[in-house]
Amino acid sequence: MATTTMRRTPAGRRATGAPAPGVGARSPYPYWFYLPAAVIYGLLFIVPTLTAFYFSLTRWTIFDAQFIGLDNYVTFFREPALVSGLTHTLVYAVVTSGAKVVLGMLLALLLTSRIVGRGYLRSVVFFPVLVSTIGVGLTFTVLMNPDQGLINDALAVTGIDGPAWLTDPRYALLSVALVDVWKGVGLATVIFIAGIVSIPREYFEAAKVDGAGAWDTFRRIVLPLSRPATVTVILLSLIGGLRSFDLIWAMTRGGPGFTSDVIASVIYKQYQAGFYGLSTAGNVVLFLVVTAIVVPLSRLLNRKEVDL
Amino acid sequence: MSAVPAPGPRRKPRPNYLLSAVAFLASLVVFVVPFVFVALTAVKDRRQAADLDFSWPHRFRLVQNFVEVIRARDYLLIIAYINSTVLTVASVTLMTVLAAMVAYVLQRRRGRWNGLVDFLVLAGLIIPPAVVPTIWVLQRLGLFRRMPGLILVEVAFGLAFCVLLFRAFIATIPRELDEAAVLDGAGPARLFFRVILPLLRPVIVTVVLVQSVFVYNDFVNPLYFLPGEQNATVQLTLYNFNSQFSTQYNLLFMDILLITIPPLIMFLAFNRQIVAGMTAGAVKG
């Protein structure tokens, strides 16, 4: 890596004391390069994130905030419609993330195997990643129409009586999750492909010489050696799933009833209704959920990688 | 996939034709049909579009539907395209340059700020932004409901990912280059903008492409931070039209089609770089 010239590092560190040659002791890597980014990031990301903790404890009209202690959180956890948003968020994130890992890995194996038309297949699987989420959501809302939709028409041909998808309270959340997987599996697939392609050929050849079958090769070589890719896919899709809003909003707006509401849609609804304090409490809850899941998980997954 | 001429006896096994055929058919049904459905419905007349089925249009109304969508709500779609273009170009340019500067110093200089900056980059990738407090800050700065405000918000939320991509790439540029430039009397700004930045071209292309797709497709931030009919970005027209065109599926799908065209062009032209960017950033993440 870039450790060829270690000289510069101590020189930079002792910049204030050491009598460096030249005019003054200025590093060629000045800290003011951080400044413009730091100002924007600080004002529009860090300040809101920190002040959210205070504002979530207030009754808030944007212009003045009245401290009311934990009332917003009490409301949040007492209201069944809001609490269900929390469980839906977890279900949605776990389902989409799990499906993307499994399907992404299968597709990646398929697309690195000896088949014709790999380029076409990769493109077609990946393209939905780049398409507008709202556009995908509206399209699938039509495709999933219970009576006229293309999906149930197709299922009817094969004799299956398709569910009501988005209008059935039991399936609404999972139907949206299905579309999320359709749209997002391409990203998981290309990450897995990158992981598989980076495995040295010799391993596969050695396995072949040893008489390993396809399953053994997958289990003993592909799976352990593409672990960084797997960790990435899990973490990325979990973060995305926990925060997800636009697809759900485009397809069900949290309905029918509150059966597909997630924290992010609760935040928006409370914001629209003018309950800024409550909305911000939702934001803090989301922040805590995401960090409580993602940070330990990434520690765990990355540590195991070192152990191997 | 290295081009090493391995003189093996079975260097190229026969492709699996059966599996290929199955995969091809499945890809048609699962991934191609939805897009064809969008295109077909977009050119149908209103009555046929209302059937919601997968059929050939009786009458092609490509031009009429196109004109009708464009003219809807006083040419809102044109305004939205302008808004989206301004938003995407300005925010992506800004975040690319600022992130490159951060990543450069972060990678080159080991000092007391490294830990903090690393932490903040990671935080930016994970933490969901707090919505209403951001509106509060924008309001205080006089930027709420204004395009510059939204541009800065996109920059703030996009920086972390860009820094990650740049940093990995800058590590591959030899430091001797910096030293040579310094010996030639280049100051920090000149060293960075004249020597380093041009070398970053491959990763700049990737960052710009990936972030352009993100910002162009962004729905949530314009929804919150730039409300108002005249401020709509293309994603929001889709959302607004949905209520207006709920009985005119042909027009709704024409809108979807038009909005899908820019990413499609990007994809056809730069497929490789986009995939590289998304996987490179991801493998580090």
Side-chain angles (χ1 to χ4, degrees), chain B residues 183-249:
Chain B
L183 286 180
D184 285 347
R190 216 169 114 214
L191 166 62
F192 177 72
F193 286 103
R194 303 298 294 276
V195 179
I196 302 294
L197 209 54
L199 292 173
L200 298 181
R201 217 182 109 172
V203 73
I204 288 176
V205 170
T206 307
V207 167
V208 166
L209 288 170
V210 171
Q211 291 293 355
S212 301
V213 173
F214 280 159
V215 174
Y216 175 83
N217 281 336
D218 186 19
F219 168 73
V220 181
N221 294 323
L223 180 72
Y224 277 121
F225 306 122
L226 196 63
E229 177 101 319
Q230 288 307 302
N231 288 330
T233 61
V234 288
Q235 305 302 325
L236 281 159
T237 66
L238 215 45
Y239 178 68
N240 294 338
F241 284 175
N242 186 27
S243 38
Q244 189 191 3
F245 291 159
S246 57
T247 51
Q248 290 170 278
Y249 283 104

Side-chain angles (χ1 to χ4, degrees), chain B:
Chain B
M1 293 295 167
S2 58
V4 182
R10 291 173 294 146
R11 227 182 103 246
K12 225 174 179 184
R14 226 162 53 89
N16 188 335
Y17 288 113
L18 180 67
L19 191 62
S20 309
V22 172
F24 179 72
L25 285 178
S27 77
L28 281 188
V29 173
V30 176
F31 288 106
V32 179
V33 165
F35 288 107
V36 178
F37 177 79
V38 171
L40 287 177
T41 309
V43 298
K44 286 175 182 174
D45 62 31
R46 183 173 169 174
R47 268 183 49 211
Q48 201 196 350
D51 292 342
L52 306 183
D53 55 2
F54 191 72
S55 58
W56 199 250
H58 300 319
R59 286 184 300 152
F60 275 87
R61 291 179 45 96
L62 174 67
V63 178
Q64 293 97 314
N65 287 350
F66 177 75
V67 172
E68 232 178 298
V69 169
I70 296 284
R71 290 176 55 180
R73 296 199 183 182
D74 280 334
Y75 298 92
L76 183 61
L77 197 57
I78 303 278
I79 296 169
Y81 260 106
I82 296 171
N83 286 339
S84 276
T85 310
V86 170
L87 174 66
T88 309
V89 171
S91 62
V92 172
T93 310
L94 206 55
M95 78 172 88
T96 306
V97 174
L98 298 189
M101 290 166 68
V102 170
Y104 171 66
V105 175
L106 186 63
Q107 203 283 320
R108 286 299 203 238
R109 188 167 178 177
R110 300 272 152 238
R112 59 206 141 140
W113 296 100
N114 276 59
L116 179 66
V117 177
D118 276 332
F119 170 77
L120 291 176
V121 168
L122 213 58
L125 292 174
I126 295 173
I127 296 174
V131 179
V132 193
T134 310
I135 292 178
W136 173 73
V137 172
L138 287 173
Q139 192 111 54
R140 283 295 187 85
L141 298 173
L143 291 172
F144 182 51
R145 290 172 190 274
R146 291 181 53 205
M147 183 55 90
L150 182 60
I151 291 171
L152 292 178
V153 166
E154 297 284 4
V155 172
F157 295 171
L159 273 174
F161 181 73
C162 299
V163 169
L164 209 66
L165 282 183
F166 275 122
R167 196 185 174 183
F169 190 87
I170 291 172
T172 66
I173 297 177
R175 272 166 193 256
E176 283 79 0
L177 224 63
D178 309 6
E179 282 154 21
V182 170
L183 286 180
D184 285 347
R190 216 169 114 214
L191 166 62
F192 177 72
F193 286 103
R194 303 298 294 276
V195 179
I196 302 294
L197 209 54
L199 292 173
L200 298 181
R201 217 182 109 172
V203 73
I204 288 176
V205 170
T206 307
V207 167
V208 166
L209 288 170
V210 171
Q211 291 293 355
S212 301
V213 173
F214 280 159
V215 174
Y216 175 83
N217 281 336
D218 186 19
F219 168 73
V220 181
N221 294 323
L223 180 72
Y224 277 121
F225 306 122
L226 196 63
E229 177 101 319
Q230 288 307 302
N231 288 330
T233 61
V234 288
Q235 305 302 325
L236 281 159
T237 66
L238 215 45
Y239 178 68
N240 294 338
F241 284 175
N242 186 27
S243 38
Q244 189 191 3
F245 291 159
S246 57
T247 51
Q248 290 170 278
Y249 283 104
N250 52 345
L251 299 189
L252 179 64
F253 279 87
M254 178 55 85
D255 194 11
I256 296 178
L257 189 66
L258 290 178
I259 282 163
T260 311
I261 287 174
L264 181 65
I265 294 171
M266 296 258 282
F267 176 68
L268 293 176
F270 302 108
N271 181 5
R272 212 165 40 80
Q273 288 92 332
I274 293 177
V275 170
M278 290 199 167
T279 54
V283 169
K284 280 236 114 188

